[in-house]
Amino acid sequence: MNESLLRELVPAVIGVLVRRGADFASAEDAVQEALIRALQNWPDDPPRDPKAWLVAVAWRRFLDAARAEASRRGRELAVEVEPPAGPAPVTDDTLRLYFLCAHPTLPPSSAVALTLRAVGGLTTRQIAAAYLVPEATMAQRISRAKRRIAGQPLDRPGDLGTVLRVLYLVFNEGYSGDVDLAAEAIRLTRQLVALTDEPEVAGLLALMLLHHARRASRTGAGGRLVPLGEQDRSRWDTCLISEGVTVLQTALARDRLGEYQAQAAIAALHADAPTTAETDWVQIVEWYDELLALTGSPVVRLNRAVAVGEADGPQAGLAALAGVDPDLPRYAAVAAHMYERAGDLGHAAELYADASRAATSVPERDHLTREAARVRQRLRP
Amino acid sequence: MRYLLLKHYRGGPTPTVDFAPMDQWTPAEVDAHIQFMRDFATRLEGTGEFVEGQALAPEGAFVRYDGEGRPPVTDGPFAETKDLIAGWMVIDVESWDRAVQLAGELSAAPGPRGEPIYEWLEVRPFLTEAPTVAE
């Protein structure tokens, strides 16, 4: 049995413990301990029924901890006997865990950590490594999050919007440590699609698949960032693209458009184009109009200006940029690109240099410095 | 022994070579510089001496307490005249001499026309935990 199959069992096992009377926080701790033991023991001594093994070990852990706590307080233990296993379906348990872990009262970083542990079945150590913080810090973040949602009922539908935002955050974190967070986000979103009947969940899955398909082409030699226009499109993963497009089409057919479906539609149009020049920019602008109507987001307004520039030329792009907040990250980079295409190289070089100083990541900073250098070279006689 | 190699955007002793900002180099010169930095870190990973490296954005501010019930006072963005840290590399090496040797090599990163930029790097030893055997 491999690690990912083991991890898939985690939310269901938490659900079993909760139905037996454990509170969520203690159940989740007990399952985490059982998970760590499974990771240590199963390679040499695999159980016949993995889920039953996890339930048994986690339940024992829970009882030990509950007894210790009860004796510390001088009280009787309330949950001692196993109630009969009810007919509650596993899928509902898992879905409720998504809602609880992404509870709107939690700060995003806590919701992300708790979701990865309780729904994703990752260990605290793996989550800490992925987010580059000490394990003790991550353990505290998770404990605090659980205290914050203590007493929240586990049997009510929650806010799907915050769940999707949490999964989107995990996906965007990409890759560091031994856990591929983008792949993990896709797995969790795929699972959520099976548990819900909401086209926006499928829209988010399609968006992730279509972006994941381009991953290999996004970084060049020495870790340098390769922008969309320069990517080697033969390296795009056509299987992921066709899956993403199929998922998106099914979602769009439901005729309940939302922001993730609209973003996925834009990603699908890029995936469909053999080159930047052959991209259907006019349709992309239309999707950005939809997206802007749905979200009113300033970042969408900026991206729309990029698409307008490609569809109708740099002057139209600069006109569209006039209505965008210049304090946005990437504003200077977008303006630089348009001024370069409009032939104003001096202005473009200055803006690329400004953009590199405002960059929020090293690959982005290096890329923009290189762009400034490239435009300045064109300026020299 | 751990040492911090501190890189400054500005501040420190007077530069030996007054080179143009990086965005005014040629793209090939920019690439060569970035590659040198990456290769340096990779080499130190190979020798077991690299601990970590981080880069800082140029913006930010000084902040201090301003008394009970009052919001903190900020001073910033940083004035043009102030020292400004650009990033650091932490190395774990056998001696001060080795730390100085490595800082010297890092300072030879190529700039315009492939010439070394002779950049000043600050080298600082970390204070350690108290040793187990004290006498």
Side-chain angles (χ1 to χ4, degrees):
Chain A
M1 150 161 256
N2 64 33
E3 190 181 320
S4 65
L5 285 171
L6 165 59
R7 285 169 39 203
E8 278 172 29
L9 293 171
V10 163
V13 175
I14 294 174
V16 171
L17 264 64
V18 169
R19 265 182 289 118
R20 285 185 181 179
D23 63 286
F24 166 71
S26 312
E28 202 275 336
D29 274 339
V31 174
Q32 171 80 191
E33 287 181 42
L35 169 73
I36 289 167
R37 273 189 57 190
L39 288 169
Q40 287 163 354
N41 297 350
W42 288 10
D44 300 327
D45 184 15
R48 214 156 23 88
D49 182 346
K51 188 178 166 189
W53 187 99
L54 280 174
V55 168
V57 172
W59 183 247
R60 207 155 52 230
R61 283 285 190 187
F62 164 72
L63 286 180
D64 288 349
R67 280 195 199 100
E69 176 68 13
S71 80
R72 196 173 63 79
R73 297 184 178 204
R75 290 209 201 122
E76 288 292 299
L77 180 57
V79 267
E80 181 70 63
V81 287
E82 295 183 18
V90 165
T91 53
D92 285 5
D93 287 342
T94 304
L95 182 58
R96 281 162 190 163
L97 282 184
Y98 276 94
F99 288 133
L100 186 64
C101 294
H103 199 271
T105 58
L106 293 175
S109 63
S110 301
V112 160
L114 193 54
T115 300
L116 287 173
R117 208 171 93 146
V119 188
L122 291 175
T123 64
T124 310
R125 181 190 298 265
Q126 288 172 317
I127 302 166
Y131 287 93
L132 306 175
V133 298
E135 188 177 346
T137 302
M138 189 52 81
Q140 277 308 318
R141 195 178 291 174
I142 290 167
S143 303
R144 285 170 63 97
K146 289 204 290 190
R147 278 202 294 280
R148 200 156 180 160
I149 53 168
Q152 291 291 341
L154 198 55
D155 58 352
R156 275 186 219 149
D159 184 343
L160 197 56
T162 61
V163 174
L164 297 185
R165 266 195 295 284
V166 163
L167 296 173
Y168 184 79
L169 280 178
V170 174
F171 180 74
N172 255 343
E173 197 62 34
Y175 182 87
S176 59
D178 66 338
V179 175
D180 183 342
L181 288 177
E184 181 60 15
I186 288 175
R187 182 179 80 79
L188 294 178
T189 308
R190 205 189 283 284
Q191 184 174 272
L192 188 61
V193 167
L195 297 173
T196 54
D197 183 36
E198 167 55 54
E200 269 296 84
V201 184
L204 178 61
L205 177 61
L207 176 65
M208 289 176 175
L209 293 169
L210 290 163
H211 277 272
H212 207 53
R214 308 207 287 253
R215 180 150 86 161
S217 64
R218 266 202 301 263
T219 3
R224 70 188 268 181
L225 189 148
V226 184
L228 180 61
E230 293 162 30
Q231 287 173 11
D232 174 0
R233 297 181 181 222
S234 70
R235 296 179 67 198
W236 289 1
D237 185 328
T238 48
C239 287
L240 285 177
I241 290 174
S242 74
E243 189 194 350
V245 168
T246 308
V247 170
L248 174 65
Q249 280 169 342
T250 314
L252 288 175
R254 307 278 302 279
D255 208 19
R256 272 159 54 208
L257 188 65
E259 55 176 310
Y260 294 114
Q261 293 170 77
Q263 283 189 62
I266 292 164
L269 286 166
H270 284 303
D272 199 34
T275 62
T276 319
E278 291 165 272
T279 305
D280 189 346
W281 289 105
V282 173
Q283 216 189 323
I284 288 180
V285 172
E286 288 168 8
W287 276 112
Y288 274 121
D289 288 336
E290 295 270 12
L291 198 50
L292 198 54
L294 286 165
T295 64
S297 147
V299 176
V300 170
R301 209 178 288 276
L302 178 64
N303 290 334
R304 183 184 170 279
V306 174
V308 169
E310 296 294 338
D312 301 329
Q315 295 304 340
L318 285 167
L321 204 55
V324 178
D325 177 4
D327 287 335
L328 284 175
R330 284 190 58 244
Y331 179 94
V334 167
H337 179 66
M338 286 176 187
Y339 277 110
E340 184 185 0
R341 289 187 53 220
D344 187 347
L345 299 185
H347 204 167
E350 273 169 42
L351 283 164
Y352 274 127
D354 288 348
S356 76
R357 283 186 285 274
T360 54
S361 74
V362 171
E364 205 182 324
R365 181 195 66 186
D366 291 349
H367 169 70
L368 292 166
T369 306
R370 205 180 281 115
E371 291 291 88
R374 181 182 57 74
V375 174
R376 280 199 207 281
Q377 195 172 40
R378 288 183 60 193
L379 270 169
R380 290 191 195 103
Chain B
M1 280 170 278
R2 288 193 178 207
Y3 292 90
L4 182 69
L5 309 188
L6 208 51
K7 184 183 167 75
H8 297 251
Y9 282 117
R10 51 175 189 254
T14 314
T16 320
V17 179
D18 199 13
F19 58 87
M22 211 164 157
D23 59 87
Q24 295 175 22
W25 304 1
T26 69
E29 288 160 0
V30 172
D31 282 343
H33 182 84
I34 293 168
Q35 192 59 45
F36 179 96
M37 293 298 185
R38 292 181 63 88
D39 290 348
F40 185 84
T42 306
R43 180 159 65 86
L44 261 61
E45 277 173 4
T47 58
E49 292 169 311
F50 180 83
V51 179
E52 68 147 354
Q54 294 288 341
L56 298 174
E59 74 257 29
F62 284 99
V63 180
R64 72 161 171 80
Y65 178 62
D66 196 38
E68 188 60 43
R70 297 163 65 93
V73 174
T74 59
D75 177 9
F78 301 112
E80 284 293 332
T81 51
K82 277 181 183 155
D83 178 22
L84 191 60
I85 296 165
W88 64 81
M89 188 180 287
V90 178
I91 56 173
D92 195 338
V93 294
E94 289 303 322
S95 63
W96 163 256
D97 289 348
R98 174 66 177 159
V100 169
Q101 181 197 357
L102 288 174
E105 290 173 19
L106 187 57
S107 161
R113 293 169 306 281
E115 302 283 333
I117 55 176
Y118 295 93
E119 178 183 30
W120 283 106
L121 293 171
E122 192 177 345
V123 183
R124 305 283 302 275
F126 278 81
L127 291 175
T128 62
E129 297 292 313
T132 314
V133 179
E135 66 279 327

Short mmCIF file of all heavy atoms in Angstrom, two decimals, chain A residues 132 221-224 349 353 356-359 362 365-366 369-370 372-377 380, chain B residues 7 9 21-31 34-35 38 54-59 86:
data_model
loop_
_atom_site.label_atom_id
_atom_site.label_comp_id
_atom_site.label_asym_id
_atom_site.label_seq_id
_atom_site.Cartn_x
_atom_site.Cartn_y
_atom_site.Cartn_z
N LEU A 132 7.99 25.93 4.76
CA LEU A 132 9.26 26.46 5.23
C LEU A 132 9.17 27.09 6.61
O LEU A 132 9.71 28.17 6.85
CB LEU A 132 9.83 27.49 4.22
CG LEU A 132 9.97 26.99 2.77
CD1 LEU A 132 10.43 28.12 1.87
CD2 LEU A 132 10.95 25.83 2.69
N ALA A 221 16.24 26.93 -18.02
CA ALA A 221 17.54 26.58 -17.46
C ALA A 221 17.86 27.47 -16.26
O ALA A 221 17.57 28.66 -16.28
CB ALA A 221 18.61 26.75 -18.54
N GLY A 222 18.41 26.87 -15.21
CA GLY A 222 18.81 27.64 -14.04
C GLY A 222 17.62 28.20 -13.27
O GLY A 222 17.75 29.19 -12.56
N GLY A 223 16.44 27.58 -13.42
CA GLY A 223 15.28 28.00 -12.63
C GLY A 223 14.66 29.30 -13.12
O GLY A 223 13.82 29.89 -12.44
N ARG A 224 15.05 29.77 -14.33
CA ARG A 224 14.50 31.06 -14.75
C ARG A 224 13.06 30.94 -15.21
O ARG A 224 12.62 29.91 -15.72
CB ARG A 224 15.37 31.71 -15.82
CG ARG A 224 15.35 31.04 -17.16
CD ARG A 224 16.38 31.64 -18.06
NE ARG A 224 15.80 32.72 -18.85
CZ ARG A 224 16.50 33.42 -19.74
NH1 ARG A 224 17.78 33.20 -19.90
NH2 ARG A 224 15.92 34.36 -20.45
N ALA A 349 11.89 50.45 -20.72
CA ALA A 349 13.04 49.99 -19.93
C ALA A 349 12.94 50.48 -18.49
O ALA A 349 13.20 49.74 -17.54
CB ALA A 349 14.34 50.48 -20.57
N ALA A 353 12.53 48.19 -15.07
CA ALA A 353 13.42 48.31 -13.91
C ALA A 353 12.59 48.58 -12.64
O ALA A 353 12.84 47.96 -11.59
CB ALA A 353 14.43 49.43 -14.14
N SER A 356 10.99 45.35 -11.58
CA SER A 356 11.90 44.39 -10.93
C SER A 356 12.09 44.75 -9.47
O SER A 356 12.20 43.87 -8.62
CB SER A 356 13.25 44.34 -11.65
OG SER A 356 14.03 45.47 -11.32
N ARG A 357 12.09 46.04 -9.14
CA ARG A 357 12.23 46.45 -7.73
C ARG A 357 10.96 46.12 -6.93
O ARG A 357 11.02 45.92 -5.73
CB ARG A 357 12.55 47.94 -7.63
CG ARG A 357 14.01 48.25 -7.95
CD ARG A 357 14.35 49.70 -7.69
NE ARG A 357 13.81 50.58 -8.73
CZ ARG A 357 14.44 50.85 -9.87
NH1 ARG A 357 15.62 50.31 -10.13
NH2 ARG A 357 13.91 51.65 -10.77
N ALA A 358 9.82 46.06 -7.62
CA ALA A 358 8.56 45.77 -6.93
C ALA A 358 8.21 44.28 -6.94
O ALA A 358 7.19 43.87 -6.40
CB ALA A 358 7.42 46.58 -7.58
N ALA A 359 9.07 43.45 -7.57
CA ALA A 359 8.76 42.02 -7.71
C ALA A 359 8.66 41.36 -6.34
O ALA A 359 9.32 41.77 -5.39
CB ALA A 359 9.83 41.34 -8.54
N VAL A 362 11.99 35.93 -6.31
CA VAL A 362 13.32 36.04 -6.94
C VAL A 362 13.25 35.74 -8.44
O VAL A 362 13.81 36.51 -9.24
CB VAL A 362 14.34 35.13 -6.21
CG1 VAL A 362 15.64 35.06 -6.98
CG2 VAL A 362 14.59 35.64 -4.80
N ARG A 365 11.78 38.75 -10.11
CA ARG A 365 12.72 39.89 -10.09
C ARG A 365 13.80 39.71 -11.15
O ARG A 365 14.09 40.62 -11.92
CB ARG A 365 13.36 39.98 -8.71
CG ARG A 365 14.32 41.15 -8.58
CD ARG A 365 15.19 41.03 -7.36
NE ARG A 365 16.10 39.90 -7.46
CZ ARG A 365 16.90 39.49 -6.49
NH1 ARG A 365 16.88 40.09 -5.32
NH2 ARG A 365 17.70 38.47 -6.67
N ASP A 366 14.37 38.50 -11.21
CA ASP A 366 15.43 38.25 -12.19
C ASP A 366 14.90 38.38 -13.62
O ASP A 366 15.56 38.94 -14.49
CB ASP A 366 16.02 36.86 -11.97
CG ASP A 366 16.81 36.78 -10.66
OD1 ASP A 366 17.07 37.85 -10.06
OD2 ASP A 366 17.17 35.66 -10.24
N THR A 369 14.44 42.11 -14.42
CA THR A 369 15.74 42.75 -14.60
C THR A 369 16.28 42.43 -16.00
O THR A 369 16.80 43.30 -16.71
CB THR A 369 16.75 42.25 -13.55
OG1 THR A 369 16.18 42.44 -12.25
CG2 THR A 369 18.07 42.99 -13.65
N ARG A 370 16.11 41.17 -16.39
CA ARG A 370 16.58 40.72 -17.71
C ARG A 370 15.79 41.43 -18.82
O ARG A 370 16.36 41.83 -19.84
CB ARG A 370 16.37 39.20 -17.81
CG ARG A 370 17.28 38.53 -18.78
CD ARG A 370 17.02 37.04 -18.82
NE ARG A 370 17.60 36.29 -17.73
CZ ARG A 370 16.91 35.64 -16.79
NH1 ARG A 370 15.59 35.66 -16.80
NH2 ARG A 370 17.53 34.98 -15.85
N ALA A 372 14.42 44.42 -18.59
CA ALA A 372 14.92 45.81 -18.64
C ALA A 372 16.22 45.84 -19.44
O ALA A 372 16.42 46.71 -20.31
CB ALA A 372 15.14 46.34 -17.23
N ALA A 373 17.10 44.87 -19.16
CA ALA A 373 18.39 44.81 -19.85
C ALA A 373 18.18 44.59 -21.36
O ALA A 373 18.86 45.19 -22.20
CB ALA A 373 19.25 43.70 -19.26
N ARG A 374 17.24 43.72 -21.69
CA ARG A 374 16.97 43.40 -23.10
C ARG A 374 16.48 44.65 -23.85
O ARG A 374 16.94 44.96 -24.94
CB ARG A 374 15.91 42.29 -23.17
CG ARG A 374 15.54 41.84 -24.57
CD ARG A 374 14.46 40.77 -24.55
NE ARG A 374 13.25 41.20 -23.86
CZ ARG A 374 12.36 42.06 -24.35
NH1 ARG A 374 12.55 42.58 -25.55
NH2 ARG A 374 11.30 42.42 -23.66
N VAL A 375 15.55 45.41 -23.23
CA VAL A 375 15.01 46.59 -23.90
C VAL A 375 16.09 47.67 -24.02
O VAL A 375 16.21 48.33 -25.05
CB VAL A 375 13.77 47.12 -23.15
CG1 VAL A 375 13.29 48.43 -23.76
CG2 VAL A 375 12.66 46.08 -23.18
N ARG A 376 16.91 47.82 -22.97
CA ARG A 376 17.99 48.81 -23.05
C ARG A 376 18.98 48.47 -24.16
O ARG A 376 19.53 49.35 -24.81
CB ARG A 376 18.74 48.90 -21.71
CG ARG A 376 17.99 49.74 -20.71
CD ARG A 376 18.91 50.20 -19.60
NE ARG A 376 18.16 50.42 -18.38
CZ ARG A 376 17.42 51.51 -18.14
NH1 ARG A 376 17.37 52.48 -19.03
NH2 ARG A 376 16.76 51.62 -17.02
N GLN A 377 19.19 47.18 -24.37
CA GLN A 377 20.11 46.76 -25.43
C GLN A 377 19.54 47.17 -26.80
O GLN A 377 20.29 47.58 -27.69
CB GLN A 377 20.31 45.25 -25.37
CG GLN A 377 21.50 44.79 -26.19
CD GLN A 377 21.80 43.32 -25.96
OE1 GLN A 377 20.89 42.50 -25.85
NE2 GLN A 377 23.06 42.97 -25.86
N ARG A 380 20.36 50.77 -27.61
CA ARG A 380 21.73 51.17 -27.96
C ARG A 380 21.91 51.15 -29.47
O ARG A 380 21.36 50.30 -30.15
CB ARG A 380 22.74 50.23 -27.31
CG ARG A 380 22.79 50.41 -25.81
CD ARG A 380 23.97 49.67 -25.19
NE ARG A 380 23.76 49.58 -23.74
CZ ARG A 380 23.34 48.48 -23.10
NH1 ARG A 380 23.15 47.36 -23.79
NH2 ARG A 380 23.14 48.48 -21.82
N LYS B 7 24.64 40.80 2.08
CA LYS B 7 24.78 41.58 0.84
C LYS B 7 23.95 42.85 1.00
O LYS B 7 22.81 42.78 1.47
CB LYS B 7 24.24 40.72 -0.30
CG LYS B 7 24.37 41.27 -1.68
CD LYS B 7 23.69 40.26 -2.63
CE LYS B 7 23.47 40.85 -4.02
NZ LYS B 7 24.72 40.93 -4.79
N TYR B 9 22.23 46.42 -0.66
CA TYR B 9 21.92 47.22 -1.85
C TYR B 9 22.79 48.47 -1.85
O TYR B 9 23.27 48.94 -2.86
CB TYR B 9 20.45 47.65 -1.85
CG TYR B 9 19.46 46.58 -2.27
CD1 TYR B 9 18.51 46.12 -1.39
CD2 TYR B 9 19.46 46.09 -3.58
CE1 TYR B 9 17.57 45.17 -1.78
CE2 TYR B 9 18.54 45.14 -3.97
CZ TYR B 9 17.59 44.68 -3.06
OH TYR B 9 16.66 43.75 -3.45
N PRO B 21 23.63 50.07 -12.41
CA PRO B 21 22.65 49.11 -11.89
C PRO B 21 22.40 47.98 -12.89
O PRO B 21 22.59 48.15 -14.10
CB PRO B 21 21.37 49.95 -11.72
CG PRO B 21 21.73 51.35 -11.96
CD PRO B 21 23.10 51.42 -12.56
N MET B 22 21.98 46.85 -12.36
CA MET B 22 21.90 45.63 -13.15
C MET B 22 20.98 45.74 -14.37
O MET B 22 21.22 45.11 -15.40
CB MET B 22 21.40 44.51 -12.24
CG MET B 22 21.90 43.16 -12.60
SD MET B 22 21.61 42.12 -11.16
CE MET B 22 21.59 40.54 -11.93
N ASP B 23 19.91 46.55 -14.25
CA ASP B 23 18.99 46.63 -15.40
C ASP B 23 19.63 47.35 -16.58
O ASP B 23 19.06 47.40 -17.67
CB ASP B 23 17.67 47.30 -14.98
CG ASP B 23 17.87 48.69 -14.45
OD1 ASP B 23 17.89 49.63 -15.27
OD2 ASP B 23 18.04 48.86 -13.23
N GLN B 24 20.84 47.94 -16.35
CA GLN B 24 21.52 48.60 -17.47
C GLN B 24 22.63 47.73 -18.05
O GLN B 24 23.37 48.18 -18.92
CB GLN B 24 22.05 49.96 -17.01
CG GLN B 24 20.89 50.88 -16.66
CD GLN B 24 21.32 52.22 -16.09
OE1 GLN B 24 22.44 52.67 -16.29
NE2 GLN B 24 20.42 52.85 -15.37
N TRP B 25 22.78 46.51 -17.57
CA TRP B 25 23.73 45.57 -18.17
C TRP B 25 23.08 44.96 -19.41
O TRP B 25 21.89 45.17 -19.67
CB TRP B 25 24.08 44.44 -17.20
CG TRP B 25 24.63 44.88 -15.86
CD1 TRP B 25 24.83 46.15 -15.43
CD2 TRP B 25 25.00 44.00 -14.78
NE1 TRP B 25 25.31 46.13 -14.15
CE2 TRP B 25 25.42 44.84 -13.73
CE3 TRP B 25 25.03 42.62 -14.60
CZ2 TRP B 25 25.87 44.31 -12.52
CZ3 TRP B 25 25.47 42.10 -13.40
CH2 TRP B 25 25.90 42.94 -12.36
N THR B 26 23.85 44.15 -20.15
CA THR B 26 23.23 43.42 -21.25
C THR B 26 22.56 42.18 -20.67
O THR B 26 22.93 41.72 -19.59
CB THR B 26 24.26 42.98 -22.31
OG1 THR B 26 25.08 41.96 -21.71
CG2 THR B 26 25.13 44.13 -22.78
N PRO B 27 21.56 41.63 -21.40
CA PRO B 27 20.89 40.42 -20.89
C PRO B 27 21.90 39.30 -20.62
O PRO B 27 21.74 38.57 -19.63
CB PRO B 27 19.93 40.04 -22.02
CG PRO B 27 19.66 41.32 -22.74
CD PRO B 27 20.92 42.13 -22.64
N ALA B 28 22.91 39.16 -21.45
CA ALA B 28 23.89 38.09 -21.24
C ALA B 28 24.67 38.30 -19.95
O ALA B 28 24.97 37.35 -19.22
CB ALA B 28 24.86 38.02 -22.43
N GLU B 29 24.98 39.58 -19.65
CA GLU B 29 25.70 39.89 -18.40
C GLU B 29 24.82 39.59 -17.19
O GLU B 29 25.30 39.08 -16.17
CB GLU B 29 26.14 41.36 -18.41
CG GLU B 29 27.29 41.65 -19.38
CD GLU B 29 27.41 43.13 -19.75
OE1 GLU B 29 26.59 43.96 -19.27
OE2 GLU B 29 28.31 43.45 -20.54
N VAL B 30 23.52 39.91 -17.31
CA VAL B 30 22.58 39.61 -16.22
C VAL B 30 22.53 38.10 -15.98
O VAL B 30 22.64 37.62 -14.86
CB VAL B 30 21.16 40.15 -16.55
CG1 VAL B 30 20.14 39.67 -15.52
CG2 VAL B 30 21.16 41.68 -16.61
N ASP B 31 22.39 37.35 -17.09
CA ASP B 31 22.32 35.89 -16.98
C ASP B 31 23.57 35.32 -16.34
O ASP B 31 23.50 34.43 -15.48
CB ASP B 31 22.16 35.26 -18.38
CG ASP B 31 20.73 35.38 -18.88
OD1 ASP B 31 19.84 35.63 -18.05
OD2 ASP B 31 20.52 35.25 -20.09
N ILE B 34 23.55 35.95 -12.54
CA ILE B 34 22.59 35.09 -11.83
C ILE B 34 23.10 33.66 -11.78
O ILE B 34 23.02 32.97 -10.76
CB ILE B 34 21.19 35.19 -12.49
CG1 ILE B 34 20.61 36.59 -12.29
CG2 ILE B 34 20.24 34.12 -11.93
CD1 ILE B 34 19.40 36.90 -13.12
N GLN B 35 23.66 33.21 -12.91
CA GLN B 35 24.18 31.84 -12.96
C GLN B 35 25.33 31.65 -11.97
O GLN B 35 25.43 30.63 -11.30
CB GLN B 35 24.63 31.53 -14.40
CG GLN B 35 24.91 30.05 -14.64
CD GLN B 35 23.68 29.18 -14.37
OE1 GLN B 35 22.58 29.51 -14.79
NE2 GLN B 35 23.84 28.09 -13.63
N ARG B 38 23.93 31.17 -8.52
CA ARG B 38 23.34 29.84 -8.37
C ARG B 38 24.43 28.78 -8.24
O ARG B 38 24.35 27.89 -7.40
CB ARG B 38 22.46 29.50 -9.57
CG ARG B 38 21.21 30.34 -9.68
CD ARG B 38 20.41 29.91 -10.90
NE ARG B 38 19.97 28.52 -10.75
CZ ARG B 38 18.84 28.16 -10.16
NH1 ARG B 38 18.03 29.09 -9.68
NH2 ARG B 38 18.51 26.90 -10.07
N GLN B 54 18.66 33.88 1.35
CA GLN B 54 17.38 34.58 1.21
C GLN B 54 17.64 35.94 0.58
O GLN B 54 18.71 36.53 0.77
CB GLN B 54 16.72 34.80 2.58
CG GLN B 54 16.27 33.55 3.30
CD GLN B 54 15.05 32.91 2.66
OE1 GLN B 54 14.31 33.54 1.91
NE2 GLN B 54 14.85 31.63 2.94
N ALA B 55 16.66 36.42 -0.17
CA ALA B 55 16.74 37.76 -0.75
C ALA B 55 15.63 38.63 -0.17
O ALA B 55 14.57 38.12 0.17
CB ALA B 55 16.58 37.68 -2.27
N LEU B 56 15.91 39.92 -0.02
CA LEU B 56 14.92 40.84 0.54
C LEU B 56 14.51 41.87 -0.52
O LEU B 56 15.34 42.31 -1.30
CB LEU B 56 15.51 41.58 1.75
CG LEU B 56 15.91 40.73 2.95
CD1 LEU B 56 16.61 41.61 3.98
CD2 LEU B 56 14.70 40.06 3.56
N ALA B 57 13.23 42.23 -0.51
CA ALA B 57 12.75 43.31 -1.37
C ALA B 57 13.30 44.63 -0.84
O ALA B 57 13.58 44.75 0.35
CB ALA B 57 11.23 43.33 -1.37
N PRO B 58 13.47 45.62 -1.73
CA PRO B 58 14.05 46.89 -1.25
C PRO B 58 13.11 47.71 -0.37
O PRO B 58 13.57 48.60 0.33
CB PRO B 58 14.39 47.64 -2.54
CG PRO B 58 13.68 46.95 -3.64
CD PRO B 58 13.33 45.58 -3.18
N GLU B 59 11.80 47.44 -0.41
CA GLU B 59 10.91 48.29 0.41
C GLU B 59 10.85 47.76 1.85
O GLU B 59 11.42 46.72 2.16
CB GLU B 59 9.51 48.40 -0.19
CG GLU B 59 8.67 47.17 -0.05
CD GLU B 59 8.60 46.40 -1.34
OE1 GLU B 59 9.56 46.48 -2.12
OE2 GLU B 59 7.60 45.72 -1.56
N ALA B 86 20.25 43.61 1.12
CA ALA B 86 19.62 43.01 -0.06
C ALA B 86 19.33 41.53 0.14
O ALA B 86 18.45 40.97 -0.50
CB ALA B 86 20.52 43.21 -1.27
#
